[in-house]
Amino acid sequence: SQASRRSTHCLSIICLFQLSLGYGSEVDWFSLSAVILLLCTAPFLVFFFVMVCDQYQCSVSQPLVELYSGEATLRSIWDKAPSFTWTAAQIYTVWVSFQLVLYMCVPDVTHKFLPGYAGGVQDGARTPAGLINKYEINGLQSWLITHALWYANAQYFHWFSPTIIFDNWIPLLWCTNILGYAVSTFAFVKAYLFPTNAEDCKFTGNVFYNYMMGIEFNPRIGKWFDFKLFFNGRPGIVAWTLINLSYAAKQQELYGYVTNSMILVNVLQAIYVLDFFWNEAWYLKTIDICHDHFGWYLGWGDCVWLPFLYTLQGLYLVYNPVQLSTAHAAAVLLLGLVGYYVFRSTNHQKDLFRRTEGKCSVWGKKPTFIECAYRSGDGGLHHSKLMTSGFWGVARHLNYTGDLMGSLAYCAACGFGHIHPYFYIVYMTILLVHRCVRDEHRCSSKYGKDWKRYTDAVPYRLLPGIF
């Protein structure tokens, strides 16, 4: 699969288990112990990265040094951190409910007046059992409505402070964890008792691994509520830009100004978010929808991992208001825009190639490709084409390379005072390198000798001449 990454909000550490074990494998005791450990400790890993900003000005090492020297204990750190509050619970309940209403009750109309935007009812990819689901694509519309109301509140209504998200950030963390574990548990139980399509369920025989990686392929309630599409895009990605705006508002409140670094982070990440919703129909063909089952890996990751760890740069800049030199800011902006261009152009070439079945022009030439054959779960024989020209002839996953360039730009906007905001590029590098391996493992199994022909034609994964 030549799929985009950030449509996923997956945990790279967890993904490694999926690749190494697979759904048909027995889970050994070491791997089982690691799975259980992750299920129990992942929320506290996220808490650590948020807590160090709240208590240590985003220094990752200082709390570890204090714990080692005895100046602090786990209990003292925990006691100083804000805990669950009913105010945060009310905020989060209203937020998720509002996004649910927009998703289920407001059919898309933006595709009727936005040229080139594919909204409304769209077909998904064929499932392993041979089914094709339909989806109501209205994410861009939901994003526009949400941000219009946010702006109206900040400028005119003043129902709540624009800093409301930051001011309740750690209490909101525990609320998102409750939803993340609740929806994962519901999806797990549903798969056993009333699956949407039993033929698209997969069991390993190990309850913990089933819970983490998911059993159902496309769990749904009714005709239109799709767990994957809702939890991946809403409430997580719609919130992403609002979280950054709340950080900017807090910086203005604390210091009387908003730094150019904060503006860069807001602008570059907003470009990515808008790109996701503009291409939401294309997301239906990516690895999340086409391959991943819905379990804790996606459910908790979408609710918690994405909104809290993908926004670390803005959080860091609230506590460390970095004002970049003009040259530094220009370099960050250029890196981010070039990365986005590579990311989007690469995906556009693939989408154009698919829609026209290769009858198009890429870089002024007719695209070349490898013709492949494969069988779906129902035994049907299908054919596919793997492009070997344009960006896809340079490297097999050059969209990931562009993604990494953008990720590095977010981090570089924070300067070089702490390693805290650079967790993101480290995580993304691990995730995308792993995804290269996982994608190609699946494609090799799917296409067999045809995949070998493709890798011979395009020998590099991310960096031409290197890797």
Side-chain angles (χ1 to χ4, degrees), residues 75-257:
R75 181 57 184 267
S76 67
I77 292 174
W78 179 264
D79 288 343
K80 286 192 290 184
S83 59
F84 171 89
T85 66
W86 286 109
T87 298
Q90 291 170 359
I91 293 170
Y92 195 59
T93 300
V94 169
W95 168 250
V96 176
S97 299
F98 180 60
Q99 291 305 310
L100 182 61
V101 169
L102 292 179
Y103 175 72
M104 292 294 294
C105 305
V106 188
D108 185 76
V109 297
T110 54
H111 69 282
K112 296 180 179 180
F113 56 84
L114 287 178
Y117 173 62
V121 178
Q122 301 286 333
D123 287 338
R126 188 181 302 274
T127 72
L131 301 177
I132 297 179
N133 292 312
K134 290 189 177 296
Y135 297 83
E136 173 68 40
I137 300 299
N138 61 0
L140 180 62
Q141 176 176 274
S142 298
W143 188 92
L144 291 170
I145 291 172
T146 301
H147 285 70
L149 289 174
W150 179 275
Y151 176 81
N153 171 75
Q155 293 296 318
Y156 306 109
F157 301 134
H158 307 295
W159 292 325
F160 53 84
S161 168
T163 66
I164 188 172
I165 300 175
F166 176 87
D167 294 338
N168 293 275
W169 199 221
I170 294 182
L172 283 170
L173 170 62
W174 304 123
C175 297
T176 61
N177 270 284
I178 291 172
L179 179 62
Y181 277 89
V183 72
S184 302
T185 302
F186 178 80
F188 175 76
V189 173
K190 177 182 179 301
Y192 283 96
L193 300 182
F194 50 100
T196 302
N197 179 27
E199 294 180 2
D200 274 325
C201 291
K202 286 189 178 181
F203 300 85
T204 64
N206 185 281
V207 64
F208 294 104
Y209 191 78
N210 287 344
Y211 180 82
M212 185 180 79
M213 299 312 304
I215 299 170
E216 281 202 82
F217 193 71
N218 286 114
R220 290 187 164 203
I221 295 179
K223 182 179 180 180
W224 294 108
F225 184 79
D226 185 89
F227 280 68
K228 281 185 182 177
L229 190 62
F230 177 76
F231 283 101
N232 184 74
R234 286 67 61 82
I237 297 185
V238 174
W240 189 344
T241 38
L242 292 185
I243 293 165
N244 282 339
L245 288 173
S246 184
Y247 290 156
K250 193 64 181 183
Q251 201 181 64
Q252 175 69 40
E253 178 185 288
L254 291 173
Y255 311 111
Y257 62 91

Side-chain angles (χ1 to χ4, degrees), residues 304-325:
V304 183
W305 188 268
L306 185 151
F308 283 86
L309 295 189
Y310 282 22
T311 61
L312 284 180
Q313 292 75 35
L315 179 65
Y316 172 85
L317 292 170
V318 173
Y319 293 93
N320 302 272
V322 176
Q323 184 69 22
L324 303 174
S325 67

Side-chain angles (χ1 to χ4, degrees), residues 10-11 59 63 89 118 176 192 194 222 239 245 296 302 305 343 358 369 412 421 445:
C10 308
L11 304 175
S59 171
T176 61
Y192 283 96
F194 50 100
L245 288 173
W296 179 86
D302 290 338
W305 188 268
F343 167 80
F369 57 87
S445 299

Side-chain angles (χ1 to χ4, degrees), residues 336-444:
L337 293 179
V338 171
Y340 173 74
Y341 171 77
V342 173
F343 167 80
R344 173 46 44 212
S345 297
T346 305
N347 286 325
H348 173 71
Q349 287 180 358
K350 180 184 66 176
D351 184 56
L352 176 65
F353 179 81
R354 279 180 172 174
R355 285 189 288 106
T356 63
E357 296 184 350
K359 299 174 182 178
C360 59
S361 176
V362 174
W363 288 357
K365 299 178 182 179
K366 183 178 180 180
T368 58
F369 57 87
I370 301 292
E371 185 83 38
C372 303
Y374 67 95
R375 292 190 180 277
S376 57
D378 60 1
L381 181 64
H382 305 280
H383 295 275
S384 183
K385 297 180 177 72
L386 297 178
M387 186 163 58
T388 57
S389 57
F391 281 118
W392 296 100
V394 176
R396 300 196 294 268
H397 305 275
L398 209 65
N399 52 340
Y400 292 170
T401 305
D403 216 350
L404 287 173
M405 293 169 67
S407 300
L408 180 60
Y410 307 158
C411 301
C414 298
F416 307 104
H418 287 284
I419 65 171
H420 180 271
Y422 287 86
F423 167 81
Y424 187 71
I425 184 61
V426 173
Y427 159 74
M428 288 309 306
T429 301
I430 295 171
L431 174 61
L432 293 184
V433 170
H434 163 261
R435 293 216 91 177
C436 286
V437 176
R438 183 175 73 157
D439 289 357
E440 298 193 359
H441 175 78
R442 283 173 168 165
C443 288
S444 179

Side-chain angles (χ1 to χ4, degrees), residues 324-338:
L324 303 174
S325 67
T326 301
H328 189 157
V332 168
L333 180 61
L334 181 62
L335 177 64
L337 293 179
V338 171

Side-chain angles (χ1 to χ4, degrees), residues 39-51:
L39 289 172
C40 296
T41 61
F44 301 101
L45 175 64
V46 179
F47 170 75
F48 174 80
F49 280 98
V50 177
M51 175 278 299

